[in-house]
Amino acid sequence: MADETIKPFRPLGNYDWPSTPVNRNIDRIKSLLKKRLFRSKNNGGIDLERLQPAEEHLLDKVAAPPANKPLIEELDFTLEDWISEENPKQPIKTLIFPPCDRENFLRSWAGEKEYPILELDDFERKISNAPDKISDLFDQDILVIPRLEDWFRRSETHLASVRLLLSALETPPQKIIIGCNSWAWQFLRKACEIDAVCIDPLTFQAFDTKRLGRWLESLSEGITDASLNFKSAKSGGDAFDFKPGSEQHNDYMSDLANKSLGIPWVAWNIWRASLQTDSDKEPPIKDATMSESAVETLWITELRDFALPNRHDQNALLVLQTLLIHNGLSRADIELTVPTSQYTNVIPSLIHSGMVDKIEDIYHCVPAAYPAIRDGLRSAGFPVDIL
């Protein structure tokens, strides 16, 4: 491969987690201790009281969406030979992604390639008109289902469309690419043995310290009206500086790789939320007339800590689990999928804690909170996803 930064997708189960749940708990405790000492020992950093969140227009210049951009070339490379093959042995390619991807990576990718997308409504309409000709529905060279989790709700009575799809996929007439949330995949493995039909699923490789730093730094390379510095508010160190004689970035970027679990959209959301400006100075990149010799600084603060529900708060844990499986639900669908009706105050409390937000009447787990949510569910004995 000419470009070593492009990493092909790997078989599911080979994800190189940047840190373990135990290590993350230890890091969380260390972080709390450090924050107690921060005000008196900032070691070249800046007083947090001087900082304010960077404005949205500035964030869109230094960390523009999409949050999944580096995966585009990697998926292209992964599927290149398969796409060009006329009659591949495996006409089904299954791609598993962690939850909290707000931009629907696979749908965007398919749109750029102009591959047709099989929508649930269209599938259900066609099979109701011709139930004996399910396999004839796939009349395209390459067909894409971006999010299979949108095709069902977690209950035995709401899996009919997925079961019909799996029946049709026993003899697919051409290539089909299926994307699925890693939590939904685990559920479907148990509920309808999806892995017997969609074999050998793939997922991307974890973003380690070096790869993550290289990508985040590249997001601001197009800015020519100012010289930007990204400094740690704690130490004053450059977030993109290499340690002498080492291939690792400084501590911040290493911490970000660990906290984000190596997931690009989680890291991107944490990164944007961490960028602050000095309230005592003019905002950086104020306009396009700024002198090229100007040097501006964006200060990087530590990730906030999330107050996780404990193992006794089953209602909150169940809501978080179902939101991860479905990548977002309305209140009505939450009531359908959570096996309890006694959780009326749970959703507001999860929103207040910063773990859940609401966009156009749909509740989602917040991307930056996902690692903490995953650790909390694991600690409470819930089955978790596999990458």
Side-chain angles (χ1 to χ4, degrees), residues 218-293:
S218 73
L219 295 180
S220 60
E221 288 177 350
I223 297 174
T224 59
D225 55 1
S227 176
L228 283 176
N229 289 327
F230 293 83
K231 291 186 177 181
S232 166
K234 179 175 65 175
S235 67
D238 188 336
F240 299 117
D241 191 21
F242 283 95
K243 293 180 178 179
S246 171
E247 289 298 315
Q248 296 293 316
H249 285 95
N250 66 16
D251 289 343
Y252 175 82
M253 204 55 63
S254 178
D255 289 345
L256 181 57
N258 290 336
K259 290 176 179 177
S260 67
L261 308 182
I263 303 169
W265 45 83
V266 174
W268 182 86
N269 277 277
I270 294 173
W271 174 247
R272 280 176 61 107
S274 300
L275 295 177
Q276 308 272 316
T277 58
D278 187 345
S279 60
D280 292 345
K281 294 185 177 182
E282 287 290 320
I285 319 178
K286 185 177 180 180
D287 54 49
T289 63
M290 182 177 290
S291 168
E292 291 184 2
S293 62

Side-chain angles (χ1 to χ4, degrees), residues 154 183 316-326 377 382-383:
R154 186 177 58 170
W183 288 74
L317 294 170
L318 286 167
V319 170
L320 290 172
Q321 182 195 38
T322 200
L323 289 179
L324 290 180
I325 289 174
H326 295 290
L377 290 170
F382 281 68

Side-chain angles (χ1 to χ4, degrees), residues 122-180:
D122 192 37
F123 177 79
E124 290 181 332
R125 177 178 56 81
K126 288 183 177 180
I127 62 173
S128 64
N129 293 333
D132 298 329
K133 297 183 178 181
I134 297 177
S135 60
D136 293 341
L137 296 174
F138 311 122
D139 56 358
Q140 305 289 338
D141 291 337
I142 296 179
L143 200 61
V144 180
I145 298 177
R147 284 182 168 170
L148 191 58
E149 59 266 29
D150 293 340
W151 284 46
F152 74 97
R153 290 295 176 256
R154 186 177 58 170
S155 70
E156 281 299 319
T157 59
H158 287 78
L159 286 171
S161 294
V162 173
R163 295 185 190 280
L164 284 171
L165 175 66
L166 294 179
S167 297
L169 292 178
E170 290 178 3
T171 55
Q174 82 300 304
K175 302 169 191 172
I176 184 166
I177 300 170
I178 299 176
C180 190

Side-chain angles (χ1 to χ4, degrees), residues 26-250:
I26 293 174
D27 290 341
R28 215 170 274 135
I29 294 172
K30 287 181 178 179
S31 176
L32 290 173
L33 293 175
K34 287 179 180 179
K35 286 180 181 179
R36 294 180 181 179
L37 301 174
F38 184 83
R39 289 181 180 274
S40 60
K41 296 182 180 181
N42 61 8
N43 296 324
I46 188 173
D47 186 349
L48 291 181
E49 293 183 355
R50 289 174 51 182
L51 298 180
Q52 61 187 6
E55 296 181 1
E56 195 73 16
H57 76 90
L58 174 57
L59 292 176
D60 286 341
K61 284 192 173 186
V62 300
N68 48 42
K69 187 175 182 179
L71 295 183
I72 295 175
E73 288 183 304
E74 300 190 349
L75 184 56
D76 286 343
F77 179 80
T78 301
L79 299 181
E80 182 179 9
D81 292 341
W82 178 80
I83 288 174
S84 62
E85 192 174 353
E86 188 170 344
N87 293 300
K89 293 181 179 179
Q90 292 186 13
I92 304 170
K93 280 293 181 182
T94 307
L95 306 174
I96 307 301
F97 299 100
C100 300
D101 170 20
R102 298 266 171 109
E103 295 162 311
N104 200 336
F105 164 68
L106 194 53
R107 176 178 286 275
S108 299
W109 177 85
E112 288 185 8
K113 302 295 180 183
E114 297 185 347
Y115 293 146
I117 292 173
L118 181 60
E119 305 285 4
L120 174 60
D121 291 345
D122 192 37
F123 177 79
E124 290 181 332
R125 177 178 56 81
K126 288 183 177 180
I127 62 173
S128 64
N129 293 333
D132 298 329
K133 297 183 178 181
I134 297 177
S135 60
D136 293 341
L137 296 174
F138 311 122
D139 56 358
Q140 305 289 338
D141 291 337
I142 296 179
L143 200 61
V144 180
I145 298 177
R147 284 182 168 170
L148 191 58
E149 59 266 29
D150 293 340
W151 284 46
F152 74 97
R153 290 295 176 256
R154 186 177 58 170
S155 70
E156 281 299 319
T157 59
H158 287 78
L159 286 171
S161 294
V162 173
R163 295 185 190 280
L164 284 171
L165 175 66
L166 294 179
S167 297
L169 292 178
E170 290 178 3
T171 55
Q174 82 300 304
K175 302 169 191 172
I176 184 166
I177 300 170
I178 299 176
C180 190
N181 177 330
S182 55
W183 288 74
W185 177 257
Q186 286 299 95
F187 170 75
L188 291 174
R189 285 183 63 224
K190 296 180 179 179
C192 52
E193 298 181 339
I194 189 173
D195 51 332
V197 177
C198 301
I199 63 174
D200 300 330
L202 304 172
T203 193
F204 61 83
Q205 295 189 41
F207 278 68
D208 58 16
T209 301
K210 185 175 180 180
R211 197 153 71 110
L212 184 61
R214 184 166 47 230
W215 167 49
L216 292 177
E217 186 176 24
S218 73
L219 295 180
S220 60
E221 288 177 350
I223 297 174
T224 59
D225 55 1
S227 176
L228 283 176
N229 289 327
F230 293 83
K231 291 186 177 181
S232 166
K234 179 175 65 175
S235 67
D238 188 336
F240 299 117
D241 191 21
F242 283 95
K243 293 180 178 179
S246 171
E247 289 298 315
Q248 296 293 316
H249 285 95
N250 66 16

Side-chain angles (χ1 to χ4, degrees), residues 276-349:
Q276 308 272 316
T277 58
D278 187 345
S279 60
D280 292 345
K281 294 185 177 182
E282 287 290 320
I285 319 178
K286 185 177 180 180
D287 54 49
T289 63
M290 182 177 290
S291 168
E292 291 184 2
S293 62
V295 177
E296 301 294 346
T297 298
L298 283 170
W299 296 94
I300 306 162
T301 56
E302 294 183 337
L303 173 66
R304 61 169 291 186
D305 295 312
F306 294 93
L308 295 170
N310 60 43
R311 65 176 62 245
H312 302 296
D313 193 355
Q314 287 292 304
N315 291 338
L317 294 170
L318 286 167
V319 170
L320 290 172
Q321 182 195 38
T322 200
L323 289 179
L324 290 180
I325 289 174
H326 295 290
N327 248 334
L329 291 173
S330 66
R331 178 176 281 274
D333 279 335
I334 293 174
E335 294 173 356
L336 174 67
T337 59
V338 175
T340 178
S341 59
Q342 300 175 349
Y343 68 97
T344 54
N345 295 319
V346 168
I347 295 177
S349 69

